[in-house]
Amino acid sequence: MSGHDHSHSHGSTNLLLVALLFTTAYAGVEVVGGLWANSLALVADAGHMITDSMSLGIGAFAAWLSQRPASTNHTYGLPRAEVIGALVNVLFMFGIVVWIVIAAIERLANPQPVGGATVMAVAFVGLIVNIAVAWLLMRGEKSINVRAALLHVVGDLAGSVAALAAGLIIYMTGWLPIDPLLSLFISVLIAIGSVGILRDVLRVLMEGVPKGIDVREVERELVKIDGVTGVHHVHIWSLSSSRHALSAHVQPVDMTQWEALLPQLQAVLNERFEITHTTLQAETSVNLADCETSTGDEKRS
């Protein structure tokens, strides 16, 4: 299974590098256009694009780190590098939201002239670039790192739409408040998406049960296997967004059947729940009682 995981990580690295190239190339154009047109929506999107370039670079580096082989210091390798990269990217996003909100409030209080035609032209090019990058990332593996990068790009895409709309309205009507108002709307969308990614990141870092896996259901499926009378002390956590691990005590009917039961247990965990890293310990009723007694003593102490 490790080769499969590494091939996905390698693909993620390539996707992020291509996205980084597109985003960086356009960021410079949008900065110049935003300053030239004096548009907050466009400048906000330009700042977002620059931060995206940084975040995509972080994501690509994190994806590369996650491919590193296991060692005596990191026996699972570095799969959580992608999760940490996603965390950094989400924190960047929150910073962008705060900046946009502050700038928009200031612009509402003090409206400034905006070049509507320039805004439309630059925003249209940005829209095409962001659609291309989003399409590219959506075709790749949906790791938490790629999802975080995609969130940035979708935020950029929405920003380009907002800037295009702002430019059109200003060009047609001259109504300047639309520029900061649309910027505020986009910042809310970005914040909502960021919260979802942050929740998933924290679930992995805090070793919570992976989303979509029910511990009780796992226990029921394992007990259905002939020769298994009970499953206890089940712990399930994530090594990364796509690699899950489990440890459990299994009570077989007959200890002599354990060698035959073990591959069946592993097959159910892999095929039914996509849990590939497992530590299963056979327990007799006597050993299980001793284990539960010692656990109770530890809790009381």
Side-chain angles (χ1 to χ4, degrees):
M1 296 301 297
S2 60
H4 180 70
D5 293 331
H6 283 193
S7 65
H8 277 313
S9 296
H10 185 66
S12 297
T13 305
N14 291 337
L15 280 175
L16 291 168
L17 286 174
V18 173
L20 172 63
L21 179 64
F22 273 94
T23 305
T24 303
Y26 180 68
V29 175
E30 195 166 34
V31 168
V32 174
L35 293 175
W36 180 271
N38 196 32
S39 167
L40 177 61
L42 204 57
V43 171
D45 195 40
H48 190 185
M49 291 285 281
I50 292 171
T51 308
D52 275 356
S53 297
M54 296 171 59
S55 69
L56 288 167
I58 291 170
F61 179 66
W64 174 78
L65 273 182
S66 71
Q67 300 174 46
R68 308 304 296 167
S71 66
T72 54
N73 291 326
H74 301 280
T75 54
Y76 279 121
L78 297 171
R80 285 193 179 173
E82 286 195 319
V83 180
I84 294 172
L87 176 61
V88 172
N89 283 338
V90 168
L91 294 178
F92 265 131
M93 292 300 294
F94 282 124
I96 292 170
V97 167
V98 171
W99 178 78
I100 292 175
V101 169
I102 293 173
I105 292 173
E106 183 179 345
R107 182 63 68 90
L108 283 170
N110 301 289
Q112 298 181 23
V114 176
T118 303
V119 172
M120 283 191 291
V122 177
F124 179 75
V125 175
L127 181 63
I128 300 302
V129 170
N130 285 317
I131 288 174
V133 174
W135 175 79
L136 184 68
L137 292 177
M138 289 176 68
R139 293 184 63 201
E141 183 203 7
K142 300 303 183 292
S143 71
I144 199 168
N145 194 32
V146 173
R147 284 176 55 206
L150 182 60
L151 174 64
H152 278 267
V153 175
V154 170
D156 277 337
L157 198 156
S160 295
V161 172
L164 187 60
L168 179 62
I169 292 173
I170 291 171
Y171 183 77
M172 299 295 293
T173 69
W175 190 53
L176 297 178
I178 188 62
D179 186 59
L181 286 175
L182 284 177
S183 298
L184 286 172
F185 175 70
I186 293 304
S187 68
V188 171
L189 296 181
I190 295 171
I192 292 172
S194 298
V195 168
I197 296 291
L198 181 61
R199 187 184 298 115
D200 291 342
V201 166
L202 292 178
R203 180 190 292 269
V204 175
L205 294 180
M206 297 301 291
E207 298 192 340
V209 176
K211 185 186 294 185
I213 296 180
D214 185 331
V215 174
R216 301 305 173 202
E217 184 182 359
V218 172
E219 292 176 351
R220 287 193 296 269
E221 289 296 320
L222 295 180
V223 171
K224 287 179 183 179
I225 298 175
D226 290 338
V228 175
T229 61
V231 179
H232 312 274
H233 302 295
V234 178
H235 299 280
I236 307 174
W237 67 98
S238 296
L239 302 174
S240 69
S241 60
S242 59
R243 295 170 60 188
H244 310 312
L246 172 146
S247 67
H249 293 183
V250 180
Q251 190 175 2
V253 174
D254 185 348
M255 287 294 289
T256 61
Q257 299 177 354
W258 180 244
E259 288 190 12
L261 283 173
L262 183 57
Q264 296 180 55
L265 293 163
Q266 292 172 329
V268 168
L269 291 170
N270 185 7
E271 296 167 9
R272 178 73 177 78
F273 302 101
E274 297 184 349
I275 299 174
T276 55
H277 296 267
T278 58
T279 302
L280 301 171
Q281 179 178 336
E283 292 280 1
T284 63
S285 56
V286 175
N287 290 338
L288 184 60
D290 290 341
C291 180
E292 290 175 346
T293 300
S294 63
T295 302
D297 291 340
E298 290 175 1
K299 289 180 179 178
R300 285 191 292 273
S301 63

